């Protein structure tokens, strides 16, 4: 037992070091896997490296390559601009629009892709008499929901790691649950805080009018417009068609019950674009999220070492001591949210999902429901200012209200440590137990 406990402590220390120091968690985890596996675990180097998730690497490689092309050539910017223009003067729709935009953008590969919308959304809020708090919540919750799309990072990691462990999680079910829960949180925040910091965030100048909108003096505040080019190149048009084709293939084939390797399809489509537009995509490899690939690969390799040493079974025995499976699932979700509030959600998902497998194997709880609840609980806290999303929201607000925004989002983010597990277990775990 001593070696298993020590191996778990090494992982905890690596996670702590990567949180407080600028050291890549994936590098630490991979080095620790090699060291712990060949010493405490008594495994060969080949045995340790066999745990590296090549299938997940292919997923992340293909998706980030294809959507990296779409971001770099402006195709995604054009899609966002078209949607913003469609609102016209309907200012009240702005938060809902930016929720949908953040959801859509995050669905295309990366949870952090929606960060590009935050400065734009908060600018619109200040100029049009809307609460910067509500606008920030809209983009944070929308991005959280979109990150669990079948072709986005959290969705890929959750379903892939669960699948490698023998648990089939329907990616559309996970995505639907993420959308539903985040819509509820966004709606609640919109009602409760619709006037929060509105007066403090208002700019001195009048809001800009939308060209051609017919706005005039005394009319409701109008939206600003972006300057994205209205005419698309052939390259951009084909990129948009390619993105649509990927989404259609994934949704249709998944709904039909057919297995589809999203990474392979995305990589193939990206290579087709690269072959057709070699000059324009010459730098596309730089868009691949190598950092996340290394992060997930290193942690998954270490989890494989833990499994081989029996450390996962040790965790299972501790969980078995909790008399109620529902309580055990709740505590696991609570721990996931608390740890994720201070560290990387991506790294945590790769660690904590395998640790939930013994609870699922013991029976009494729905397997897919527990995995979905755990993943969502770990993501809902990402609005706090210690995360990239939360910090960007605070930094994008007017300087005079940043302290107030920081205080608010600290409270909201850390309230999700408790609220998240309550909501996810109530809607995803409990119904399966009662069925």
């Amino acid at each position: 037992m001593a070696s298993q406990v020590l191996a778990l402590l090494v992982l905890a220390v690596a996670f702590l070091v990567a949180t407080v120091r600028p050291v890549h968690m994936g590098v630490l985890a991979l080095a620790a896997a090699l060291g712990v596996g060949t010493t405490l675990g008594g495994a060969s180097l080949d045995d340790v490296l066999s745990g590296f998730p090549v299938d997940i690497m292919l997923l992340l490689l293909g998706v980030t390559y294809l959507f990296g092309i779409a971001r770099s050539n402006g195709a995604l910017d054009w899609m966002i601009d078209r949607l913003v223009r469609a609102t016209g003067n309907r200012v009240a729709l702005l938060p809902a629009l930016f929720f949908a935009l953040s959801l859509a953008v995050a669905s295309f590969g990366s949870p952090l892709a929606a960060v590009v919308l935050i400065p734009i959304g908060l600018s619109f809020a200040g100029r049009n008499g809307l609460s910067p708090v509500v606008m920030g919540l809209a983009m944070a919750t929308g991005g959280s929901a979109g990150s669990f799309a079948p072709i986005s990072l959290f969705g890929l990691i959750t379903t892939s790691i669960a699948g490698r462990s023998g648990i089939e999680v329907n990616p559309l079910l996970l995505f639907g649950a993420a959308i539903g829960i985040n819509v509820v949180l966004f709606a609640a925040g919109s009602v409760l805080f619709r006037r929060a910091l509105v007066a403090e965030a208002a700019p001195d100048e009048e809001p800009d009018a939308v060209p051609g909108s017919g706005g005039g003096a005394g009319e409701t505040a109008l939206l600003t417009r972006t300057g994205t080019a209205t005419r698309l190149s052939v390259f951009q048009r084909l990129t948009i068609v390619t993105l649509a084709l990927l989404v259609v293939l994934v949704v249709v084939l998944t709904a039909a019950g057919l297995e589809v390797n999203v990474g392979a399809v995305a990589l193939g489509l990206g290579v087709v674009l690269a072959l057709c537009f070699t000059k324009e995509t010459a730098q596309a490899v730089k868009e691949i999220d190598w950092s996340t690939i290394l992060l997930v690969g290193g942690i998954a390799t270490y989890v494989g070492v833990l499994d081989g040493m029996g450390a996962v079974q040790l965790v299972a025995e501790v969980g078995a001591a909790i008399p109620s499976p529902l309580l055990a699932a709740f505590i696991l979700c609570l721990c996931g949210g608390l740890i994720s509030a201070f560290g990387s959600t991506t790294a945590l998902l790769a660690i904590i999902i395998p640790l939930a497998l013994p609870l699922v194997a013991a029976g009494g709880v729905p397997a897919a429901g527990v995995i979905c609840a755990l993943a969502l609980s770990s993501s809902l806290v990402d609005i706090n200012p210690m995360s990239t999303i939360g910090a960007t929201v605070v930094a994008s607000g007017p300087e005079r209200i940043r302290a107030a925004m920081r205080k608010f989002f600290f409270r909201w983010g850390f309230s999700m440590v408790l609220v998240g597990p309550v909501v996810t277990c109530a809607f995803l775990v409990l119904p399966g137990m009662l069925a």
Side-chain angles (χ1 to χ4, degrees):
M1 179 182 292
S3 61
Q4 290 92 332
V5 172
L6 184 57
L8 289 169
L9 289 176
V10 169
L11 180 59
V13 170
F15 192 83
L16 178 62
V17 169
T19 300
V20 300
R21 300 284 295 172
V23 183
H24 196 283
M25 178 65 192
V27 173
L28 287 177
L30 188 58
L34 296 172
V36 172
T38 55
T39 55
L40 295 177
S44 67
L45 188 61
D46 288 341
D47 290 337
V48 173
L49 293 178
S50 66
F52 189 89
V54 178
D55 53 344
I56 298 179
M57 184 193 75
L58 176 60
L59 282 170
L60 299 177
L61 173 66
V63 169
T64 58
Y65 180 65
L66 177 59
F67 287 101
I69 293 176
R71 280 192 296 269
S72 63
N73 72 6
L76 285 181
D77 290 339
W78 181 89
M79 295 167 65
I80 292 169
D81 182 66
R82 294 300 95 185
L83 291 173
V84 171
R85 289 172 182 262
T87 62
N89 288 342
R90 295 178 288 275
V91 174
L93 296 179
L94 270 177
L97 171 67
F98 275 92
F99 176 92
L101 284 174
S102 298
L103 189 156
V105 172
S107 297
F108 292 151
S110 171
L112 296 182
V115 166
V116 300
L117 295 172
I118 292 175
I120 302 172
L122 288 177
S123 175
F124 282 159
R127 290 178 176 272
N128 293 280
L130 297 172
S131 169
V133 163
V134 170
M135 186 63 81
L137 286 176
M139 291 178 286
T141 52
S144 177
S147 65
F148 286 96
I151 56 176
S152 195
L153 183 63
F154 290 173
L156 291 172
I157 292 175
T158 302
T159 55
S160 297
I161 292 179
R164 283 167 58 88
S165 304
I167 297 177
E168 292 299 324
V169 176
N170 187 317
L172 296 180
L173 173 65
L174 173 62
F175 189 31
I179 293 176
I181 289 174
N182 279 285
V183 164
V184 170
L185 292 174
F186 165 57
S190 298
V191 172
L192 294 173
F193 308 110
R194 62 184 181 278
R195 302 307 302 168
L197 302 179
V198 172
E200 296 86 341
D204 296 330
E205 66 273 15
E206 292 296 320
D208 298 329
V210 178
S213 64
E219 194 168 313
T220 304
L222 306 177
L223 304 181
T224 56
R225 294 290 288 270
T226 60
T228 305
T230 56
R231 298 190 63 181
L232 294 175
S233 66
V234 175
F235 180 28
Q236 290 171 318
R237 291 179 186 274
L238 288 179
T239 300
I240 293 172
V241 171
T242 300
L243 296 181
L245 179 60
L246 175 64
V247 173
V248 169
L249 284 174
V250 171
V251 172
V252 171
L253 293 179
T254 301
L258 300 177
E259 184 176 353
V260 54
N261 190 310
V262 178
V265 174
L267 183 62
L269 293 173
V271 169
V272 170
L273 285 176
L275 291 174
C276 295
F277 302 94
T278 53
K279 183 178 180 180
E280 294 86 345
T281 58
Q283 303 299 316
V285 173
K286 294 182 180 179
E287 300 292 334
I288 296 174
D289 193 355
W290 296 110
S291 178
T292 299
I293 291 173
L294 178 57
L295 175 66
V296 176
I299 292 174
T301 303
Y302 195 91
V303 171
V305 170
L306 291 177
D307 190 34
M309 293 177 62
V312 173
Q313 182 60 35
L314 180 63
V315 173
E317 294 172 359
V318 173
I322 300 176
S324 169
L326 179 61
L327 178 60
F330 174 79
I331 292 175
L332 193 59
C333 290
L334 190 71
C335 292
L338 183 61
I339 297 171
S340 181
F342 295 96
S344 166
T345 303
T346 306
L348 180 67
L349 288 177
I351 295 173
I352 204 166
I353 290 176
L355 296 183
L357 299 178
L359 171 64
V360 172
V365 291
V370 169
I371 298 300
C372 291
L374 181 56
L376 292 173
S377 297
S378 301
S379 170
L380 293 176
V381 300
D382 283 347
I383 185 59
N384 83 85
M386 296 178 64
S387 70
T388 302
I389 297 287
T392 304
V393 170
V394 172
S396 299
E399 184 176 357
R400 59 186 175 276
I401 65 168
R402 284 178 189 165
M405 289 182 66
R406 185 178 298 109
K407 184 177 181 180
F408 173 86
F409 285 112
F410 258 121
R411 290 177 175 176
W412 177 278
F414 282 97
S415 71
M416 290 299 109
V417 173
L418 178 61
V419 173
V422 170
V423 173
T424 56
C425 287
F427 287 97
L428 298 174
V429 179
L430 186 58
M433 296 178 65
L434 298 177

